[in-house]
Amino acid sequence: MQFVNYLPDQVYLADKLADHRAEFEKNNPGQSHSEFMARLANKIVGAAPQNYLRFGPYWWALKAALIDRGYAYFGELDPLIASIYCGLNEKGELDADITIVAAFEFAEMYDATQFQGVRQFDLFGNGEFYVLMDESVEMTPL
């Protein structure tokens, strides 16, 4: 099975974030859910060089969100893919937390349906596969 145009509803993602945040804050009073999600994403990517592939096309928006939060990523970005596969708030503005939730949602589907290391995605349903490759992550230990 190939993923075709995996773009979940933004309202669904915002609701998912609210649910996760409420549960986290109930169990971890005084801690930042936003920072927890960023640390977790960074930990996953840092555990093995190709783990970023689990985030599929959301990787570029996730990478930008991690850079904005001070994590030491560098190298290329794909602004077009990042602008499509990102989380937006109710005002239609980029929201890093919703982006991270979207990336984790994709990773869950990827883990359930793909062999680890798959890097080709049919994003537009036209049979032309987008190949995800971030040499700066694959070739540089975090």
Side-chain angles (χ1 to χ4, degrees):
M1 173 181 169
Q2 296 290 336
F3 297 120
V4 179
N5 208 7
Y6 183 75
L7 292 167
D9 181 84
Q10 294 292 330
V11 173
Y12 166 81
L13 293 173
D15 289 346
K16 192 86 164 172
L17 172 62
D19 291 345
H20 287 308
R21 183 170 283 150
E23 184 70 22
F24 179 85
E25 290 173 354
K26 182 175 102 178
N27 295 323
N28 302 281
Q31 294 185 28
S32 168
H33 180 254
S34 295
E35 185 52 38
F36 168 76
M37 288 191 313
R39 271 194 322 269
L40 181 58
N42 184 61
K43 183 178 178 179
I44 289 168
V45 175
Q50 291 189 341
N51 277 353
Y52 78 94
L53 294 171
R54 295 175 60 206
F55 299 111
Y58 288 92
W59 168 244
W60 300 113
L62 175 60
K63 181 179 180 182
L66 291 173
I67 290 169
D68 286 346
R69 293 194 176 172
Y71 288 88
Y73 291 91
F74 60 91
E76 70 270 5
L77 291 170
D78 188 329
L80 175 63
I81 299 298
S83 70
I84 296 168
Y85 290 89
C86 63
L88 304 174
N89 64 22
E90 64 278 351
K91 297 177 185 175
E93 301 165 333
L94 179 65
D95 186 299
D97 287 349
I98 295 174
T99 296
I100 294 171
V101 168
F104 278 119
E105 286 287 299
F106 186 90
E108 185 177 315
M109 186 173 64
Y110 179 97
D111 290 346
T113 63
Q114 299 295 305
F115 290 110
Q116 293 299 333
V118 168
R119 65 175 69 242
Q120 293 185 354
F121 306 95
D122 186 1
L123 301 183
F124 306 106
N126 63 4
E128 291 184 34
F129 291 95
Y130 175 79
V131 178
L132 178 58
M133 177 65 175
D134 188 343
E135 290 181 11
S136 67
V137 173
E138 289 193 31
M139 305 302 178
T140 307
L142 298 176

